[in-house]
Amino acid sequence: MTLGCASGPKMAPGKSAAEIAVKAEPKKGYHPPSDPASYDGGPADQLSNPSASAGAGALTLLDYNALYGIVIWLEPASGSAQNSNPQNLALASPNSKPVDDASPRIAAVGDRLVILNRASKTDTFYLRFDDGSVADIGSIGAGKTGAYTFKRPGPQSVISDSLDRPIDRLFVAPSPMYKIAHCNSTVSFTDVNPGEYRLRSWHYRLPGSSTNLTLVPGKVAKSTVVIGVNALPKVP
């Protein structure tokens, strides 16, 4: 991490800013296939041949140069980030929206999930986490809405008693200071309180990264987020 001059993002007096370059790093020894139909991904990833994603097979390769849906966030190195301006994430059930791991809805801990029950009878809703655990959202009457405040970060699905499929796929960031990016882009955080932070990232298919970031009043901290598998420990 380096500190840059104040020629980048604007900031209020006494505040700090961060400018983050987002990179995707292919596995060492990776060579992009010459056949565009060999790429695979989901709606959030740009494919060389989008029609190939559904049937390309288990050995298909992701285009590292066209990764979308990368979540970048800042969280204090000690303590937790307070969500002082919680947002509402609205959804309706049942709906015809396709649910795909590659295109989750993004929110933060402290935001509210607001569900409209379109069914003709009361339904009970839940959050199902990737480790198999479940959080009870509650029962919502026919034609009514119910709200739930996100308490746990990470990928999760909205499910209900009446449907045999997920209603929506979510990723909940631990901090309200988050951005949604694509690879080979730059995102900025402005008017951030000075201090020590962790810069973290998530992608539905590839490991993210985590690094320390020091924010100094009146300065722009510059850093890089790398999405890829090269940082993973080698399997013996």
Side-chain angles (χ1 to χ4, degrees):
M1 186 277 296
T2 59
L3 291 177
C5 63
S7 60
K10 304 280 186 189
M11 68 199 84
K15 298 289 187 177
S16 301
E19 190 173 87
I20 313 301
V22 183
K23 305 292 184 184
E25 184 178 81
K27 184 178 180 180
K28 293 177 180 177
Y30 164 87
H31 297 286
S34 57
D35 177 10
S38 297
Y39 290 115
D40 188 24
D45 298 309
Q46 180 177 315
L47 306 178
S48 296
N49 181 1
S51 63
S53 63
L59 298 179
T60 54
L61 297 174
L62 191 66
D63 185 355
Y64 281 84
N65 293 317
L67 295 179
Y68 286 71
I70 301 169
V71 185
I72 314 293
W73 70 89
L74 287 173
E75 59 185 60
S78 60
S80 59
Q82 297 299 315
N83 193 342
S84 58
N85 185 30
Q87 305 297 306
N88 288 340
L89 184 66
L91 63 85
S93 175
N95 60 28
S96 58
K97 175 185 180 294
V99 176
D100 193 310
D101 283 351
S103 54
R105 306 275 298 278
I106 311 298
V109 169
D111 287 346
R112 296 201 321 159
L113 176 65
V114 181
I115 301 175
L116 168 62
N117 180 15
R118 290 175 170 168
S120 58
K121 60 180 181 180
T122 297
D123 201 358
T124 302
F125 297 85
Y126 310 87
L127 287 175
R128 183 173 61 206
F129 302 94
D130 281 10
D131 63 3
S133 60
V134 173
D136 186 9
I137 295 174
S139 296
I140 302 175
K144 305 293 185 180
T145 59
Y148 176 88
T149 299
F150 292 116
K151 302 176 180 66
R152 179 174 167 180
Q156 46 206 274
S157 299
V158 182
I159 58 175
S160 74
D161 281 341
S162 68
L163 297 177
D164 58 0
R165 58 176 177 80
I167 299 165
D168 216 334
R169 182 70 170 161
L170 313 173
F171 179 80
V172 178
S175 167
M177 293 181 287
Y178 71 85
K179 302 283 184 178
I180 305 171
H182 57 85
C183 70
N184 303 321
S185 67
T186 299
V187 297
S188 297
F189 296 89
T190 58
D191 290 342
V192 182
N193 290 328
E196 300 294 328
Y197 289 84
R198 295 292 291 173
L199 172 63
R200 300 185 186 272
S201 62
W202 175 87
H203 184 261
Y204 85 102
R205 188 164 177 176
L206 293 172
S209 61
S210 176
T211 187
N212 294 324
L213 197 64
T214 301
L215 300 186
V216 177
K219 299 289 186 180
V220 179
K222 295 188 177 183
S223 190
T224 300
V225 158
V226 178
I227 305 295
V229 300
N230 291 322
L232 294 177
K234 292 183 178 180
V235 178

